[in-house]
Amino acid sequence: MNGMFWVRGDPLEFDHWRELGNAGWGYSDLLPLFKRMESYAAGNSAVRGRDGPLSITEYSPRDPLSDAFLRACAQAGIPETDDYNGGGYYGAGLMQLSTRRGLRWGVREGYLRPAMKRSNLVVITAAHATRLLFDGNRATGVEYRREDHFDNVHARREVILCAGAVQSPQLLELSGIGDRARLDALGIAVRHHAPGVGENLRDHLQARLMVEVKGLDTLNDILPSLWKKSRMALRYALFRDGLMSAPGATAHAYVRSAPERRRVDIKLQLHHLTSPDERHPTKVVLDERPGFSIGVVHQQPSSRGSVHIRSTDPLAAPEIRPNYLSGPEDLPTFVRGLRIARRVTQQAAFAPYYVKELRPSRAAESDEALGEYVRATIFSSMHPVGTCRMGADVASVVDPDLRVRGVDGLRVADASIMPTIPASNTNAAAIVVGEKAADLILASTSRQSR
């Protein structure tokens, strides 16, 4: 699920990966790959790519609500940054999006479609990988199911597993790589005892502060109006910009939840609508009143969960235990984030438009009341990572070259290898894992051919 937000992440978090023993994974190591990936016309060419496969644009034009948010952030002590992907991570700015001429432009458009013209690539669709194939201790291929029959594909050099933070650990466990006790209980022959498979699940949660406004066109004010919808569609048809070119969020701010924090730990994200339903907090609806919401996202939650198979059926969903808010500092950080979001809405820039806070409402003033609101309404940002953790220690699932420990000829290259969650949306970081994997595989192939 790609919301098209282009956020590389906090450079300090990638440096943390390197400090954890993952040589080659610091920000200075990954910067050339980030540049190689993107085509972005603005920013400093020393740190931004100009001719990569991924088209990156900044949301435009600066509409009144986005402008009020950025000015209010500045008034609340959060400065505006020209390019949060260019090194100035702290601060507020318009969203950068993986779009081209107002249309989605992701890895399908930038990487896959051009590659499908090559004779050495075959794409098999409507297929479900069921297990990895081995010859002794070496991975040799993949079994997959298509319609009602099974087929195999075989590798001459290596198998690269890229099934994501949920299904990469599932396939490893189905293939006998995982915790011995868990596999024994399911009758799966243990190929390699790896207790870390499926552990270390991390995700970004989001709580939202919602405000009713007047005098501003927000999405839940525009969408019921035929005239306003037509005007927005005309703008998009003529200029390929405006709200129809964006996924509903147009600006954000990266902040510290407390002065003593050394690093950014909260993101405030402006959404042009309010949700969810007051009677059913988990149901997203179009509010009857014009308004906006500020999503509060804890960037480095300490809560860790797991993903594990429950049966030997490869088509059965694994059990996901996210353990949200189990870290002792996670809930207090969200409460501080809501207070910062509330402070932004009380600035002079919003005064001409502000009507009232809809949710959690100003009646929720205490830490306890705000904490209850968070617990009742918080939801996932769909950023699962970490379930095949990369590391230099023997307990890690893959080494810094992404090779699965305990077997030969097998690598994992997706968000599951991330040792911690990037302080950002995870799309750009997941793609840079692919770019890094490509370099590692090519370097290995070059050494073998000498």
Side-chain angles (χ1 to χ4, degrees):
M1 184 179 294
N2 176 14
M4 299 186 289
F5 302 128
W6 190 251
V7 190
R8 290 177 176 179
D10 189 343
L12 293 177
E13 194 56 43
F14 298 117
D15 288 344
H16 183 212
W17 289 8
R18 184 167 55 195
E19 292 164 3
L20 291 172
N22 298 296
W25 289 87
Y27 180 69
S28 61
D29 304 305
L30 298 179
L31 179 57
L33 306 184
F34 278 120
K35 290 178 62 179
R36 187 169 80 191
M37 289 157 51
E38 64 183 15
S39 179
Y40 184 59
N44 182 354
S45 60
V47 292
R48 300 305 304 267
R50 295 287 191 252
D51 55 3
L54 295 174
S55 172
I56 309 301
T57 57
E58 184 178 77
Y59 170 74
S60 66
R62 186 161 165 158
D63 62 84
L65 179 57
S66 300
D67 181 69
F69 172 79
L70 294 175
R71 288 188 295 112
C73 283
Q75 292 165 355
I78 306 167
E80 186 170 345
T81 177
D82 290 334
D83 184 5
Y84 59 84
N85 281 319
Y89 199 60
Y90 175 80
L94 292 171
M95 297 293 304
Q96 292 175 27
L97 307 168
S98 53
T99 58
R100 183 173 180 268
R101 297 189 68 245
L103 296 172
R104 174 183 295 271
W105 193 268
V107 291
R108 177 183 61 181
E109 293 80 10
Y111 286 88
L112 180 59
R113 282 181 177 167
M116 288 178 70
K117 299 174 183 177
R118 303 173 189 167
S119 60
N120 64 344
L121 173 65
V122 176
V123 178
I124 301 172
T125 60
H128 190 106
T130 54
R131 66 185 175 102
L132 305 170
L133 303 175
F134 285 84
D135 181 3
N137 202 46
R138 184 171 189 83
T140 58
V142 177
E143 177 190 82
Y144 66 94
R145 178 174 175 171
R146 195 178 190 195
E147 296 178 347
D148 59 349
H149 63 277
F150 291 86
D151 284 308
N152 296 336
V153 288
H154 297 279
R156 285 181 293 179
R157 288 197 176 98
E158 292 182 288
V159 175
I160 317 300
L161 178 56
C162 313
V166 174
Q167 289 182 298
S168 280
Q170 179 185 22
L171 277 168
L172 289 177
E173 289 183 336
L174 287 169
S175 307
I177 303 171
D179 179 70
R180 182 180 301 278
R182 177 172 289 106
L183 300 182
D184 283 345
L186 293 171
I188 297 174
V190 178
R191 188 170 302 279
H192 176 64
H193 174 56
V197 171
E199 296 295 312
N200 193 50
L201 173 65
R202 304 196 187 196
D203 192 8
H204 282 143
L205 295 178
Q206 187 169 154
R208 286 193 181 176
L209 182 138
M210 306 172 195
V211 175
E212 181 180 354
V213 296
K214 60 184 178 183
L216 281 172
D217 281 344
T218 61
L219 278 178
N220 47 325
D221 188 34
I222 290 174
L223 293 180
S225 166
L226 179 60
W227 159 243
K228 290 181 178 179
K229 279 194 292 190
S230 300
R231 187 178 64 189
M232 184 171 66
L234 181 62
R235 168 98 208 184
Y236 179 75
L238 292 175
F239 303 105
R240 290 299 186 96
D241 62 11
L243 283 175
M244 283 191 69
S245 70
T250 57
H252 63 185
Y254 287 94
V255 303
R256 300 178 185 90
S257 67
E260 66 273 14
R261 298 280 167 156
R262 185 176 68 91
R263 293 174 47 187
V264 163
D265 62 341
I266 284 289
K267 177 174 74 167
L268 307 179
Q269 187 162 290
L270 175 69
H271 298 263
H272 285 244
L273 45 74
T274 54
S275 63
D277 190 305
E278 292 182 6
R279 296 161 297 174
H280 307 284
T282 59
K283 181 181 179 182
V284 177
V285 297
L286 192 65
D287 210 305
E288 295 177 354
R289 293 156 290 192
F292 67 88
S293 61
I294 297 178
V296 177
V297 185
H298 184 3
Q299 293 298 282
Q300 270 298 330
S302 58
S303 303
R304 301 186 191 186
S306 63
V307 176
H308 292 296
I309 58 174
R310 297 178 291 179
S311 76
T312 58
D313 180 3
L315 302 183
E319 181 179 65
I320 303 173
R321 290 181 175 267
N323 294 331
Y324 292 143
L325 301 179
S326 59
E329 277 300 307
D330 289 359
L331 187 59
T333 301
F334 273 108
V335 169
R336 292 194 298 270
L338 281 173
R339 292 195 186 281
I340 295 171
R342 179 177 281 171
R343 188 169 79 238
V344 169
T345 67
Q346 298 303 301
Q347 300 303 312
F350 274 129
Y353 317 113
Y354 185 93
V355 176
K356 64 179 179 180
E357 183 180 304
L358 295 171
R359 292 180 281 276
S361 87
R362 294 310 298 268
E365 288 286 351
S366 67
D367 287 355
E368 291 74 16
L370 290 173
E372 289 177 5
Y373 172 75
V374 169
R375 287 188 178 280
T377 62
I378 204 160
F379 57 95
S380 171
S381 294
M382 304 297 176
H383 293 172
V385 306
T387 50
C388 297
R389 178 179 67 86
M390 172 178 64
D393 57 298
V394 295
S396 59
V397 178
V398 301
D399 67 15
D401 286 340
L402 305 183
R403 296 172 299 200
V404 176
R405 295 186 182 279
V407 297
D408 297 323
L410 178 63
R411 301 190 207 224
V412 179
D414 57 37
S416 71
I417 65 93
M418 298 178 186
T420 66
I421 190 166
S424 68
N425 302 73
T426 51
N427 180 45
I431 300 171
V432 88
V433 169
E435 287 280 5
K436 181 71 172 179
D439 282 357
L440 293 170
I441 294 164
L442 287 172
S444 175
T445 303
S446 177
R447 288 193 299 269
Q448 293 171 6
S449 62
R450 289 173 189 166

